[in-house]
Amino acid sequence: MLSLTRAALLTLSVAASVVFGSPIRARSAYEVKETHNVPSKWSRVGPAPGNHLINLSIGLKQSQFDELERHLYEGTSSPSDHIHLKHILSGVYSFTDRVSPIVSDPLHGRYGQHLSQDDVNELVSPTDDTSTLVHQWLLDNGIPSSQLEYSPAKDWIQVTLPVSAIERLLDTKYSVYKHQDGSYVVRTPEWSLPKHLHEHIEAVQPTNSFFRPMVRKTAFKPAVGVPGSRKLSDMTVAPQSTDLTVAQACNVSAVTPTCLRTLYGTIKYTPQVPGKNKVGLNDFLGESNNRSDTSIFLKMFRPDATPAAYQFTFESIRGGTTQQTPLNATQLDAGTDLEGNLDVETILAIDYPTPLVAFSTGGSPPFKPDLVTPTDTNEPYLAWVNHVLKQSDIPQVISTSYGDDEQTVPKGYAQKVCRQFAQLGARGVSLLFASGDSGVGPDGECISNDGKNTSAFLPEFPAGCPYVTTVGGTKNVKPEIVAHDDRNGYTSGGGFSNYFPRPAYQDPVVPKYVQSLGSQFEGLYNKSGRGYPDIAAQGYHFLTIWNGTIVSLDGTSAATPTAAAVISLVNDALIAAGKSPLGFLNPFLYSSGYKTFTDVTIGSALGCDTSGFPAKAGWDAVTGFGTPYFPKLKDAALACK
């Protein structure tokens, strides 16, 4: 009787699909969707506990990403042209009929007309067919829609499940893996899907990604050590006049806001539209921004901005910390908040009184510590970007000082997250990421993760994503050169992505640089990959207040908030003039904006036991186009928009 009932129901389902045109299909066998080798620094400990909870993210294929990318590069917006997006998607109006085929051109008449939140969601939302098939698959596995959470465009589905359920869902086996530093994660090297879903699901995580955006790994390097900090009473505060020369304002062994503001030409600019213009920074994995330390810093180096220490706002995402109580012994030993303090102190000292938003992302709940995973191992980028995409009011510039080796991330997942960043760019948000602190890769560790274990340079993620602007580090002032510190092994990072091809906006400059290298480093890098960084800024010996004392820090995590602060002031001038903010920077940078940057031609991205990519005239893979000079950059932005 049971078999007859099931047969009858199947017949009714098939009949319903014919009558109503639903995409119901016969179930298909599972096939491997993605395999990613376990990175060399990780080793398997044993099977994962079946009751361990994982917040699973399922990335669905986006319906019209190519169109969003074209909008992103040209900066166009359908509402301003009185042509609704639905006419383009329906084929009533051809996209190529309404925009120039020339991409990356800020002189284009529609440049700067950013897409709305609704327009972006409409472009990247999955098709009805994709959505129906994926939800049916989940329901077949006992997961009703009531358990699901969604990204704004519903191109990501989140659900919390025990390992045992995910293993059945993905036809896989999870294990506990241990890193050389003693940390643990629960992952699987490969996962599968029913064959008919392969074209509809692009990524599922956490599965085989070993990405670790740890601030202490690549974000900064203490220049004098922690401990080893100096008492405030031992410090001589640099002069703070607005009429100093660069030589007078800058001590290259102790970089201060006065030096940065003088060097990059912002010191005589007063923000005109604070509130309309905002700037943001990211804190991940336990970092916060201490108000007391920030107040001390500003009182020393930008006294008029001191109130900002208690005025900037926090936005906690999925349990992100906003801790303001004294650090405990474990946190002090780990240098917790060094990165967070560096970011907030740098930005506020340059941009005051522009409002700052600190996004603190702690991973995806619920997380229950246990013997195998005592700390949260969920990756924060996706949680952060999907949260921000839900907001209607977003800072126009956001600085992020975190990254890891690209090869620790499965290609499909990296591409999917990168496309989320593109959505923010299309809405007029400039995303700046650090290029890394190990040149082309740490000495003695430059081995590919493709199973062949060949020598290779190690590009970074998200630095290699083509929809973000990546920032390298410099030092000295006359002239600025590539940042490097023999004492801690820090060298500004740069290279070429193995996952992302070179975008069209780089075609005028990057091939020339690759050609200039000749056969040097042959086989060690991807000559056709997206090159980075795009720009650079000071990233050496930044004075920072941490735990009530002053420390000196190196890193592209110092360069990134510096560059972000300068770009934010350009946006202030644009908005004050009734124009739109820069948004995704790279089309502007590569077509004309680069002319306003100071070229850096000395030094190289030392690493992988080589001299690394050298700085050269024009764009190069260690400092990009060089460092910004605000007066010229502001004028160029105003002129082209």
Side-chain angles (χ1 to χ4, degrees):
M1 177 64 70
L2 182 60
S3 61
L4 288 174
T5 301
R6 285 179 175 167
L9 288 174
L10 180 59
T11 301
L12 288 172
S13 296
V14 172
S17 68
V18 173
V19 173
F20 297 106
S22 90
I24 294 175
R25 299 178 184 173
R27 304 297 179 260
S28 57
Y30 272 72
E31 290 187 4
V32 174
K33 170 66 175 177
E34 187 176 55
T35 299
H36 187 70
N37 293 317
V38 178
S40 59
K41 294 182 180 181
W42 293 90
S43 58
R44 184 178 182 274
V45 175
N51 61 352
H52 177 73
L53 292 176
I54 290 178
N55 186 270
L56 199 68
S57 294
I58 303 169
L60 280 59
K61 183 179 180 181
Q62 297 169 335
S63 59
Q64 295 286 330
F65 181 79
D66 290 347
E67 303 297 345
L68 180 132
E69 183 180 52
R70 201 180 302 223
H71 277 285
L72 180 68
Y73 285 168
E74 295 190 359
T76 59
S77 173
S78 57
S80 67
D81 299 323
H82 308 290
I83 299 168
H84 198 275
L85 200 55
K86 66 183 180 182
H87 296 310
I88 299 171
L89 301 185
S90 65
V92 172
Y93 196 86
S94 168
F95 185 92
T96 54
D97 287 341
R98 65 177 292 278
V99 297
S100 165
I102 302 174
V103 299
S104 307
D105 182 6
L107 298 179
H108 191 288
R110 298 182 179 93
Y111 180 79
Q113 298 170 5
H114 307 301
L115 292 177
S116 70
Q117 183 178 12
D118 289 341
D119 283 340
V120 169
N121 290 343
E122 193 170 355
L123 281 171
V124 301
S125 61
T127 64
D128 290 342
D129 187 45
T130 292
S131 181
T132 299
L133 288 170
V134 172
H135 281 85
Q136 185 61 57
W137 166 64
L138 293 173
L139 188 60
D140 288 346
N141 282 272
I143 306 169
S145 58
S146 59
Q147 293 184 19
L148 308 179
E149 295 181 4
Y150 300 90
S151 63
K154 296 191 174 180
D155 54 333
W156 281 94
I157 296 173
Q158 291 88 34
V159 60
T160 299
L161 297 168
V163 164
S164 57
I166 298 175
E167 288 179 336
R168 292 191 297 271
L169 185 70
L170 302 178
D171 191 26
T172 189
K173 287 292 182 182
Y174 277 79
S175 298
V176 178
Y177 291 88
K178 183 179 181 180
H179 191 267
Q180 289 177 357
D181 66 6
S183 59
Y184 294 85
V185 297
V186 173
R187 297 291 188 267
T188 176
E190 107 180 354
W191 52 278
S192 301
L193 291 171
K195 185 177 181 180
H196 74 279
L197 292 180
H198 279 220
E199 64 180 293
H200 298 283
I201 294 177
E202 296 179 325
V204 178
Q205 289 296 338
T207 50
N208 51 7
S209 175
F210 289 81
F211 177 59
R212 305 169 73 240
M214 303 295 287
V215 299
R216 287 170 293 282
K217 184 177 188 298
T218 60
F220 71 87
K221 306 225 179 211
V224 296
V226 178
S229 53
R230 288 173 279 177
K231 295 180 180 179
L232 299 180
S233 59
D234 296 336
M235 287 298 302
T236 300
V237 180
Q240 297 169 20
S241 169
T242 61
D243 295 316
L244 300 174
T245 65
V246 170
Q248 292 171 328
C250 291
N251 175 352
V252 297
S253 66
V255 174
T256 66
T258 300
C259 171
L260 297 173
R261 296 171 68 209
T262 304
L263 178 64
Y264 296 138
T266 69
I267 197 160
K268 293 186 177 182
Y269 181 81
T270 300
Q272 303 170 68
V273 287
K276 290 184 179 180
N277 183 47
K278 298 179 182 179
V279 63
L281 64 83
N282 269 320
D283 295 315
F284 293 123
L285 303 180
E287 285 287 307
S288 185
N289 318 97
N290 187 271
R291 295 187 186 277
S292 176
D293 284 341
T294 303
S295 179
I296 296 170
F297 179 87
L298 293 174
K299 191 174 297 183
M300 289 183 68
F301 300 114
R302 181 78 193 270
D304 63 308
T306 302
Y310 293 93
Q311 292 171 348
F312 74 87
T313 60
F314 279 107
E315 195 160 325
S316 177
I317 303 167
R318 297 190 180 273
T321 181
T322 60
Q323 178 181 342
Q324 298 300 312
T325 55
L327 301 175
N328 60 38
T330 300
Q331 291 173 318
L332 288 171
D333 184 62
T336 299
D337 291 352
L338 269 170
E339 175 61 44
N341 285 6
L342 172 63
D343 289 345
V344 72
E345 291 168 10
T346 299
I347 292 175
L348 288 178
I350 296 173
D351 275 3
Y352 179 78
T354 302
L356 175 111
V357 180
F359 296 98
S360 179
T361 306
S364 303
F367 173 77
K368 294 184 178 180
D370 54 37
L371 292 177
V372 295
T373 52
T375 57
D376 194 335
T377 62
N378 290 304
E379 295 169 18
Y381 280 142
L382 187 59
W384 170 74
V385 71
N386 282 339
H387 170 87
V388 174
L389 283 169
K390 293 178 181 178
Q391 313 306 311
S392 58
D393 184 16
I394 306 172
Q396 291 90 341
V397 178
I398 300 175
S399 174
T400 305
S401 299
Y402 300 72
D404 200 359
D405 296 343
E406 184 181 74
Q407 66 178 7
T408 66
V409 192
K411 185 176 182 179
Y413 182 61
Q415 291 173 330
K416 190 71 174 172
V417 171
C418 185
R419 289 180 176 182
Q420 299 301 99
F421 295 153
Q423 294 180 45
L424 285 175
R427 289 176 57 183
V429 179
S430 302
L431 299 177
L432 277 66
F433 280 83
S435 69
D437 293 350
S438 299
V440 293
D443 289 344
E445 299 181 16
C446 299
I447 302 297
S448 67
N449 192 44
D450 56 2
K452 300 178 182 178
N453 295 325
T454 57
S455 296
F457 289 167
L458 302 180
E460 292 257 327
F461 179 80
C465 170
Y467 310 121
V468 305
T469 300
T470 305
V471 185
T474 62
K475 69 176 184 178
N476 299 351
V477 295
K478 287 191 174 182
E480 289 186 81
I481 66 175
V482 175
H484 172 68
D485 193 334
D486 283 327
R487 295 177 301 171
N488 55 26
Y490 159 59
T491 299
S492 180
F496 297 82
S497 172
N498 290 320
Y499 287 175
F500 301 101
R502 182 172 60 246
Y505 61 75
Q506 288 195 318
D507 285 343
V509 294
V510 175
K512 296 176 184 177
Y513 178 78
V514 172
Q515 185 178 14
S516 74
L517 297 175
S519 61
Q520 191 177 20
F521 312 127
E522 192 74 31
L524 294 177
Y525 72 102
N526 177 19
K527 294 183 178 181
S528 61
R530 186 275 205 255
Y532 70 91
D534 303 295
I535 59 176
Q538 286 281 311
Y540 180 79
H541 284 14
F542 270 49
L543 296 186
T544 305
I545 298 294
W546 174 77
N547 192 38
T549 59
I550 195 157
V551 296
S552 177
L553 300 179
D554 290 344
T556 52
S557 63
T560 306
T562 300
V566 174
I567 298 301
S568 180
L569 292 181
V570 175
N571 281 338
D572 178 88
L574 288 169
I575 296 170
K579 299 174 182 290
S580 59
L582 286 166
F584 177 45
L585 289 172
N586 295 5
F588 167 65
L589 290 173
Y590 282 82
S591 63
S592 62
Y594 70 90
K595 299 174 185 177
T596 69
F597 282 68
T598 303
D599 201 4
V600 177
T601 60
I602 301 173
S604 65
L606 298 169
C608 294
D609 300 295
T610 73
S611 59
F613 295 117
K616 294 190 175 189
W619 184 91
D620 57 64
V622 59
T623 61
F625 286 118
T627 59
Y629 187 61
F630 172 74
K632 291 182 179 180
L633 182 58
K634 171 179 64 70
D635 291 346
L638 286 167
C640 79
K641 295 174 66 64

